[in-house]
Amino acid sequence: MELPTGIINTCPGVTLAPPASHLFFTLINTLLASQCALGPEGRYPLDYRNSLQDGDEFDFIIVGSGSAGAVVANRLSQVKDWKVLVLEAGSYPSALSEIPALFFALQHTPEDWQYYMEPSDTCCLGLRGNACYYPRGKVLGGSSILNAMIYVRGNPSDYNSWAEAGNVGWDYESVLKQYEKFEGCQDPNSALYGKHGELKFTRHKSQHPIRDILED
């Protein structure tokens, strides 16, 4: 995993502000102070890049540490006799990635591959060159870092079309069993997702008053 160089970790103190803008500066102080607590130390696996040697051998090499790569690596590492190497082009997630509402701020940054789709005549017509931006995570955690922490299963029709093309075992019913194994839904009232897997998440509940009206 590639780590940034020349970064100085300074945990700033309190910034004094005039009374009229006290609330704003209180928010800024809180965010600045929080970045120290949200650092990678002790929260993510260590980077062993500098300890690797030519000729090192591994039982498994996983390219990419996104949601899928992280789960696969965790599963394989449970066998103590296996050596598992995870390769990630990016670095540790920044403090911004801990705040779902700020996911737009992570686009066009070093944590994003900064891909663009091919120009189209049927979509993205309001964008420059008729090409949509396609953010993809280049960071430990992959695209889960910059998608507002939203978890969505794949589309059943995609899996079924792969199975129809001759890929045995890739139909949605077969793949669904694997989804349920790694899902760790924290909502006890949800029967749609697995409960005991490594990928922890909960159901989103809108706080808007209209939600209760629609439910009734």
Side-chain angles (χ1 to χ4, degrees), residues 153-164:
R153 286 175 178 168
N155 192 303
S157 62
D158 288 335
Y159 290 106
N160 291 333
S161 66
W162 297 336
E164 293 170 359

Side-chain angles (χ1 to χ4, degrees), residues 66-88:
S67 300
V71 170
V72 171
N74 182 73
R75 293 280 183 87
L76 294 175
S77 65
Q78 301 304 310
V79 180
K80 302 303 180 183
D81 293 334
W82 287 349
K83 292 183 65 178
V84 181
L85 174 66
V86 180
L87 300 177
E88 171 56 52

Side-chain angles (χ1 to χ4, degrees), residues 102-116:
L102 297 181
F103 72 101
F104 279 120
L106 295 174
Q107 297 181 11
H108 300 281
T109 70
E111 295 178 72
D112 178 13
W113 281 102
Q114 305 181 35
Y115 292 140
Y116 281 87

Side-chain angles (χ1 to χ4, degrees), residues 112-163:
D112 178 13
W113 281 102
Q114 305 181 35
Y115 292 140
Y116 281 87
M117 296 183 182
E118 291 294 324
S120 173
D121 295 329
T122 58
C123 62
C124 309
L125 302 183
L127 301 177
R128 183 178 302 171
N130 294 356
C132 283
Y133 185 63
Y134 192 63
R136 295 284 88 189
K138 184 182 179 183
V139 60
L140 195 66
S143 297
S144 67
I145 296 301
L146 42 70
N147 70 345
M149 298 185 184
I150 297 176
Y151 168 73
V152 181
R153 286 175 178 168
N155 192 303
S157 62
D158 288 335
Y159 290 106
N160 291 333
S161 66
W162 297 336

Side-chain angles (χ1 to χ4, degrees), residues 18-50:
S21 56
H22 177 72
L23 182 60
F24 173 76
F25 274 86
T26 298
L27 174 61
I28 296 300
N29 282 331
T30 301
L31 291 175
L32 290 175
S34 296
Q35 70 177 345
C36 301
L38 295 175
E41 293 78 9
R43 305 181 68 244
Y44 299 103
L46 296 176
D47 174 25
Y48 289 97
R49 174 184 53 181
N50 293 330

Side-chain angles (χ1 to χ4, degrees), residues 60 62 68-80 82 84 177-184 196-199:
F60 299 93
I62 300 171
V71 170
V72 171
N74 182 73
R75 293 280 183 87
L76 294 175
S77 65
Q78 301 304 310
V79 180
K80 302 303 180 183
W82 287 349
V84 181
K177 300 175 183 177
Q178 306 305 319
Y179 271 114
E180 293 173 340
K181 286 182 180 180
F182 70 72
E183 291 172 340
H196 308 294
E198 300 91 337
L199 189 63

